[in-house]
Every structure is written in C-alpha cells, then in structure tokens.
Amino acid sequence: MTDSFALRALKWLVRGAWTLEYALRRRAGPATWLLGGACQRCAKCCESPSIRVGPATLHVATLRRLFVTWQARVNGFVLDRVDVDASTFRFRCTHFDWATRSCDSYASRPFMCRDYPRALLDQPWPELMEGCGHRVAMRQGRGLADAIDHTSLSPEARAELKRRLRLE
C-alpha cells in the first residue's frame, strides 16, 4: 500500500518540523552516545517498529487513542502490543513487504524509520534491535574505562563490564 500524494505531503511537513526540533535539540549539546557499525539491511527495525512514549501518552486514554490513530493513518503502523514496563508501543508496519524485506513507501517513510538508529542516541540507554549491525558506545566513556582498568576485577570481568556499559 503506497502513500497517496496528500499523505506524502503531510509526512514531508511533519518531517520538516521534526528535523527542525531535532536540530535545535542537538544544538543544546552532543548526544551521550556515539554510533558505530553499519546497517546490515536485515530489516528487523522494519518488521515491528516500536516507539517509546511518555507517561501521559501511555496512561491517558484519549492521548493514547490519538497517538495510535495517528500512527495508523499517517505512518501505516498497526498497534501490535503495548509494553507498559518499557513505556513502548510496538507496531506492525503495513508498508513492510515481508517477501522482499523492503518498504513500499521508502521515499516517504516516517522520520523514525529514516533516522534509525541515530534518533535513539538522545535516550538514556538506547536499545538497538537484536542483530543490528550498528552499535552504540558512550561518548565520554574513556575515563570510566580507565577507572575499570584500575580495579581488582579479573581481566574477563573487566571486559564483560566494559561490554555491558558499552565502553568498547
């Protein structure tokens, strides 16, 4: 199901506003995380996109309905499940073609799809899809890594701690 002209125009306007807001946020300071690796074209991020929301969207029925309706009508995301503990809505994308593992509306895809995983770098602890070719590392992690090197932990324990804290 490809997007109509009107829907592509609406997405273009929303993407412009989102890009402006994102640029202003970035001017406030660099993200805590650095992005490494590369896309392996596995399309796992397309299979079931998930969006972390704030408490109001999660718990206020009217806001939740508006959010889910917007995602369905504009982005083609059909609600699959809600993870209250993670404050996350998981969707099924109607634009994802399982046979070709590609998007049928790639040119007008939502910003979250266009900018994955860079959009996650402002989160306190970004979680990437399992098997994603990208990886995140702490921007200012060198000092913490040096401190871990000076502990009495075994070399294996140090390496595991650095891996878990994304200091590699």
Side-chain angles (χ1 to χ4, degrees):
M1 155 183 119
T2 59
D3 289 339
S4 67
F5 174 76
L7 195 53
R8 283 194 311 267
L10 177 62
K11 284 183 177 182
W12 183 84
L13 287 171
V14 170
R15 188 169 50 245
W18 182 283
T19 302
L20 178 62
E21 187 267 339
Y22 191 69
L24 291 174
R25 219 176 339 133
R26 287 292 179 160
R27 287 190 63 146
T32 304
W33 303 97
L34 295 170
L35 185 63
C39 181
Q40 303 297 315
R41 318 258 324 137
C42 69
K44 289 183 180 179
C45 54
C46 305
E47 289 176 4
S48 59
S50 61
I51 302 173
R52 183 171 288 156
V53 296
T57 304
L58 189 64
H59 297 293
V60 178
T62 303
L63 291 176
R64 188 173 50 249
R65 257 192 315 277
L66 282 169
F67 177 77
V68 169
T69 300
W70 173 271
Q71 296 303 327
R73 299 233 176 177
V74 176
N75 293 332
F77 294 169
V78 177
L79 185 62
D80 186 32
R81 69 178 180 267
V82 178
D83 182 350
V84 176
D85 294 333
S87 300
T88 302
F89 287 77
R90 183 154 310 235
F91 297 91
R92 179 183 51 78
C93 182
T94 59
H95 294 289
F96 182 64
D97 183 347
W98 286 85
T100 62
R101 304 206 46 81
S102 62
C103 179
D104 70 7
S105 294
Y106 188 79
S108 63
R109 67 195 184 280
F111 186 79
M112 67 172 279
C113 300
R114 186 176 298 276
D115 203 40
Y116 179 86
R118 284 183 305 278
L120 300 177
L121 297 179
D122 289 325
Q123 293 182 357
W125 193 262
E127 294 290 334
L128 303 182
M129 298 286 175
E130 185 75 29
C132 180
H134 291 284
R135 65 184 183 288
V136 290
M138 197 177 291
R139 179 180 295 279
Q140 308 255 335
R142 189 71 249 151
L144 184 54
D146 289 343
I148 290 170
D149 286 338
H150 292 90
T151 64
S152 61
L153 295 171
S154 69
E156 296 81 19
R158 282 187 215 140
E160 177 64 10
L161 184 56
K162 286 180 183 180
R163 184 189 68 76
R164 287 181 175 233
L165 291 174
R166 300 178 178 165
L167 299 173
E168 63 277 341

